[in-house]
Amino acid sequence: AFPYRRTHGDANFLRREETENMRNNILEALPHSICPVCHDPVDCEVYENREGDTVGCDACVTRQYAGDIKAFYNPNDPGESFICPVCGGDCEEAFTDRDGEVLGCNCCITRRDAWSKQQCFPK
């Protein structure tokens, strides 16, 4: 797939190797955001609750239809509307952690850019 031969005597190979090394050095020097919940590297977004606390990232928070989770069942309107057990809001989406524990809904959980959260960049 390379437009040139990959041999050590080839000048193009040496330039490519040098370029890859420079790129890797730059990437290692950049700060990487870390999820304060699961401690995995975060690509770009985390989830936070109404208080502004980070509840997880794409790796440790699952977003799903509220009707699929029993905790969101509305006895007054079964199967039609769902009530968040965290905020009491009428919702359509639910957010759970890796253990299946309910974190909230689309009314009380917000996606944020990890770069805007200081706690995602430990010193």
Side-chain angles (χ1 to χ4, degrees):
F2 295 104
Y4 45 83
R5 290 180 24 195
R6 295 180 69 189
T7 63
H8 288 287
D10 189 355
N12 289 328
F13 174 76
L14 294 177
R15 275 190 237 126
R16 177 171 168 72
E17 188 176 76
E18 289 172 1
T19 304
E20 285 179 3
N21 288 339
M22 287 175 20
R23 179 183 172 277
N24 290 337
N25 290 338
I26 291 169
L27 288 175
E28 287 174 11
L30 290 174
H32 294 286
S33 56
I34 303 294
C35 175
V37 176
C38 69
H39 307 290
D40 286 345
V42 177
D43 285 334
C44 60
E45 293 183 332
V46 293
Y47 294 94
E48 70 177 29
N49 60 19
R50 284 186 172 174
E51 290 79 33
D53 299 326
T54 301
V55 295
C57 65
D58 286 330
C60 63
V61 173
T62 303
R63 182 173 138 184
Q64 54 195 350
Y65 177 62
D68 293 340
I69 301 174
K70 193 173 186 176
F72 285 82
Y73 179 74
N74 182 355
N76 299 328
D77 195 9
E80 296 299 320
S81 66
F82 307 99
I83 297 176
C84 177
V86 176
C87 72
D90 188 24
C91 58
E92 295 178 11
E93 293 180 320
F95 296 91
T96 57
D97 65 9
R98 286 181 173 170
D99 298 325
E101 192 170 325
V102 174
L103 299 172
C105 69
N106 54 300
C107 298
C108 59
I109 300 291
T110 309
R111 285 182 87 147
R112 294 278 184 238
D113 189 341
W115 290 97
S116 68
K117 303 291 289 180
Q118 184 64 35
Q119 65 189 26
C120 292
F121 294 92
K123 295 178 181 177

